[in-house]
Amino acid sequence: MSQINTQRRQFLKIATAMTATVMACSSMQVMAGVLTNEKKMDSTEQAVFKKMLAIALPTEGSTLVDPATLPVIATIEGALLAGMPAHIRKGLNQGIHYFNQSAEKNYGKPFTHLSDAQATEFVDAWSDSHVAPHRALSMGIKKLTVLAYWAIPTTWAPLGYDGPVSEKWGLKKRGVTPEPQA
């Protein structure tokens, strides 16, 4: 098998794992797990999420809580990475590194070193790409970032949201209940 085919397969595996992770996170409240050193983000991953946070949630001039003042990275690690199987975690790490390095082709520097305007342009180009793994990585990283921000209860007040009504009203959790029969 040629070097290109091997790299392509690895890239497709990473993109598939990233897509599966994002889809699973959006349908679950929190993935349970213990955050180990192996599952923590490395400095590149943290920098990618911080850059994505800056461009995906520009709060300056609004009543929204500044994401730089919140533990968004810790939320991503605790709610997502802690419960992730090792092979998926490794694929996610590789995908984030690939995403970061891919900006060098057009901008001469990694995603984490781009200006906010260039980073936005890069994410938009990948989100609109005809290449499915590019779309999966850019949208996956963006969704994880935004979900982690809104998972922090202090972000809700500017929206007038004061938490789940099921908790306020004392509704009992019934799990997955069948639809009422007519």
Side-chain angles (χ1 to χ4, degrees):
M1 186 178 300
S2 74
Q3 176 80 9
I4 293 173
N5 284 342
T6 303
Q7 290 175 343
R8 182 175 177 270
R9 282 187 181 203
Q10 183 64 23
F11 178 71
L12 290 173
K13 284 181 188 177
I14 292 167
T16 302
M18 181 78 165
T19 302
T21 300
V22 170
M23 296 306 291
C25 288
S26 62
S27 64
M28 288 190 270
Q29 287 183 344
V30 174
M31 296 175 72
V34 176
L35 185 62
T36 61
N37 285 335
E38 297 81 37
K39 292 184 181 180
K40 285 187 177 184
M41 284 189 235
D42 61 32
S43 59
T44 299
E45 290 175 300
Q46 288 185 15
V48 166
F49 279 108
K50 285 177 183 174
K51 179 56 111 175
M52 186 63 79
L53 194 57
I55 64 169
L57 288 160
T59 58
E60 191 174 325
S62 75
T63 59
L64 297 178
V65 179
D66 180 3
T69 66
L70 300 170
V72 177
I73 301 300
T75 302
I76 294 170
E77 285 182 327
L80 172 67
L81 304 184
M84 192 176 285
H87 68 284
I88 293 177
R89 176 67 186 102
K90 181 179 178 186
L92 178 61
N93 173 279
Q94 292 172 342
I96 292 170
H97 280 262
Y98 175 79
F99 175 82
N100 186 50
Q101 294 167 347
S102 293
E104 291 180 20
K105 180 180 177 186
N106 293 332
Y107 299 97
K109 51 190 168 186
F111 174 74
T112 55
H113 293 103
L114 298 177
S115 68
D116 287 354
Q118 290 172 322
T120 300
E121 184 179 282
F122 177 72
V123 170
D124 288 346
W126 269 43
S127 296
D128 293 334
S129 174
H130 68 282
V131 181
H134 287 189
R135 288 192 313 269
L137 281 168
S138 63
M139 293 305 297
I141 294 168
K142 187 174 184 177
K143 280 187 178 185
L144 292 175
T145 305
V146 173
L147 285 170
Y149 173 83
W150 291 113
I152 301 170
T154 55
T155 62
W156 304 344
L159 302 176
Y161 178 65
D162 57 354
V165 295
S166 56
E167 291 176 14
K168 285 190 294 188
W169 296 348
L171 300 176
K172 294 180 183 177
K173 293 183 181 179
R174 302 195 185 268
V176 181
T177 18
E179 290 290 321
Q181 300 298 317

